[in-house]
Amino acid sequence: MFDTGTTGFMLISTSLVMLMTPALAFFYGGLACKRNILGIMMQTFLSLGITTILWFIIGYSLCFSGGEGGIIGNFDKIFLNGVTMDSVFSGNGMIPEIVFVSYQMMFAIITPALITGAFVNRVTFKAYVIFLVLWQIFVYYPFVHMVWGGGLLATLGVLDFAGGIVVHATAGFAALASVFYVGSRMDTKSNPNSIPLVAIGTALLWFGWFGFNAGSELNLDGITTLAFINTDISASFAAITWLIIEWKKEGKPKFVGLLTGSVAGLATITPAAGYVSMPVAAIMGIFAGIGCYSAVHIKNRFGWDDALDVWGVHGMGGVIGTILLGVFASTAINPAGADGLIYGGTTFFMIQFAAVAGTSVYAFVFTYMMLKMIDTITPVKVSEEHECLGLDWAIHGENAYDHDFS
């Protein structure tokens, strides 16, 4: 009944995407200062637990049950009702529905975790737990349904191969809103505590991203292999582009810049991985390096304390990738896609632009309003005393290193 090869591939892809969340914890943990390593890593790991519970109870149902052409699904599959070992995923008829449930759950886990890098060392743990739940229900789930669950944006012709809109634009602009709400850190000049840890995180993210993008074809075919190699091409071109720009501007080739550039390239190719050619993936990687580096420079110039550049890398990467998909997509590459602007697809380009712009605005506005609401329940921002002490010890009573950092 099931295609064993495709099922096996999707189980591996699911495992790779799961690995990306601990990888993100390493990446953020290395970039944070020594007093806040465990706090940021715990926020990331927490999503593995809470998001899985939420996905099991209502997440999958709200994303992929009913609501055709609408904004959100229904409650037909709460507690995974009707999902059995014999249930077939209707999207391709080749894999168990349980595999699709698991694969999409891993996307749900990492998306809110991306946001945490923006407000490192500033948000209380209790407020974050509430944020983690509400943001998924009112931001992530609606956009999953609208884009991937047969909802409104899908019926309008919006394409997003693996999450430029659904994952990166929503998380990136939610991150920017959170920065505006909680304000700047007391010490905005802190350096990464462990660049080798950042490198390990980047390596695992890059590795996991093959499952993220190639797995999103939900099949084993030529598009799967195209998405796989496009992922690597874009990341590589973006990494070297970022390195060259930073080297020219600052006089030295920076390892953190190389690593950050690769993540920018990964985020940018995500919406287009299975819809564009390999040369276009290279072009998108160059655009990612230039565009995301410029976004981080703009952020620094305006004093927006997005500590780990979530908006500049993920948010703007998702936006750039979605817009470039509207330019370069080709049905000659993927008949299930569309023709972009350079092939006469003006309408498709405008749809992509409007979709990512609307998504970004909604994610920003709702996140800001939600934080205000959470603040009426429990304080969102930590006290100055806790910020000075570091959240590892002040909130969690633990230290990453057995040293006194006072």
Side-chain angles (χ1 to χ4, degrees):
M1 178 166 57
F2 303 125
D3 183 281
T4 54
T6 304
T7 299
F9 168 71
M10 288 308 302
L11 285 171
I12 292 171
S13 294
T14 300
S15 302
L16 288 171
V17 180
M18 179 272 164
L19 181 65
M20 292 174 71
T21 298
L24 184 70
F26 292 142
F27 184 78
Y28 283 171
L31 288 171
C33 71
K34 289 184 177 181
R35 297 183 180 89
N36 297 287
I37 303 169
L38 301 183
I40 189 69
M41 294 185 77
M42 185 172 180
Q43 286 176 349
T44 306
F45 270 88
L46 183 71
S47 187
L48 281 163
I50 288 183
T51 300
T52 298
I53 294 169
L54 203 58
W55 190 252
F56 168 73
I57 296 172
I58 60 168
Y60 180 68
S61 188
L62 290 177
C63 291
F64 294 104
S65 177
E68 287 76 9
I71 295 174
I72 195 71
N74 58 33
F75 295 106
D76 287 355
K77 293 194 174 183
I78 59 171
F79 296 97
L80 299 185
N81 177 52
V83 179
T84 69
M85 290 185 294
D86 298 322
S87 301
V88 180
F89 169 55
S90 60
N92 62 15
M94 293 190 295
I95 64 173
E97 187 176 9
I98 287 176
V99 175
F100 180 71
V101 170
S102 302
Y103 184 66
Q104 286 295 334
M105 180 173 69
M106 300 310 165
F107 279 68
I109 287 169
I110 196 170
T111 303
L114 291 172
I115 304 170
T116 62
F119 51 64
V120 62
N121 195 29
R122 279 163 288 171
V123 172
T124 63
F125 189 71
K126 190 182 296 184
Y128 173 68
V129 172
I130 299 172
F131 174 89
L132 183 60
V133 173
L134 294 182
W135 191 85
Q136 291 185 73
I137 294 173
F138 293 105
V139 179
Y140 184 70
Y141 294 168
F143 282 100
V144 171
H145 179 75
M146 284 192 284
V147 177
W148 294 335
L152 176 63
L153 295 179
T155 61
L156 293 175
V158 172
L159 294 180
D160 185 2
F161 192 78
I165 294 173
V166 174
V167 175
H168 295 289
T170 59
F173 280 83
L176 187 63
S178 67
V179 167
F180 280 20
Y181 187 79
V182 300
S184 298
R185 293 164 291 168
M186 296 173 67
D187 177 15
T188 60
K189 303 296 184 183
S190 59
N191 294 316
N193 78 89
S194 175
I195 293 176
L197 195 61
V198 179
I200 293 170
T202 304
L204 292 174
L205 281 170
W206 198 327
F207 180 62
W209 226 296
F210 292 119
F212 200 87
N213 285 354
S216 289
E217 173 66 358
L218 302 173
N219 203 346
L220 267 176
D221 54 24
I223 301 301
T224 311
T225 61
L226 178 68
F228 188 100
I229 195 168
N230 278 350
T231 300
D232 194 63
I233 290 171
S234 179
S236 300
F237 272 84
I240 301 305
T241 300
W242 190 300
L243 177 69
I244 291 170
I245 295 171
E246 197 167 50
W247 192 352
K248 182 176 176 60
K249 283 186 172 290
E250 300 188 20
K252 293 182 179 180
K254 300 292 184 68
F255 191 23
V256 171
L258 178 72
L259 299 172
T260 305
S262 69
V263 175
L266 292 165
T268 300
I269 196 60
T270 292
Y275 295 127
V276 300
S277 65
M278 290 179 281
V280 168
I283 293 170
M284 291 182 68
I286 294 169
F287 271 99
I290 297 170
C292 294
Y293 181 90
S294 299
V296 171
H297 179 74
I298 290 169
K299 176 217 71 169
N300 292 336
R301 183 177 180 182
F302 283 100
W304 303 339
D305 191 17
D306 176 0
L308 307 184
D309 297 328
V310 181
W311 171 76
V313 173
H314 293 280
M316 290 309 299
V319 168
I320 292 168
T322 302
I323 292 172
L324 291 179
L325 171 59
V327 175
F328 293 111
S330 170
T331 53
I333 299 295
N334 188 341
D339 285 320
L341 188 63
I342 64 172
Y343 301 106
T346 305
T347 300
F348 174 64
F349 172 78
M350 295 304 295
I351 288 171
Q352 291 294 110
F353 185 89
V356 75
T359 299
S360 302
V361 170
Y362 175 83
F364 181 93
V365 172
F366 183 86
T367 301
Y368 191 91
M369 293 174 59
M370 185 180 70
L371 287 168
K372 290 192 73 170
M373 185 275 292
I374 294 173
D375 226 351
T376 65
I377 301 170
T378 186
V380 169
K381 188 169 183 180
V382 299
S383 66
E384 289 188 3
E385 179 185 357
H386 281 187
E387 187 175 344
C388 289
L389 186 60
L391 303 193
D392 287 3
W393 184 254
I395 290 181
H396 303 291
E398 300 173 300
N399 281 324
Y401 301 108
D402 189 21
H403 296 295
D404 179 11
F405 299 118
S406 58

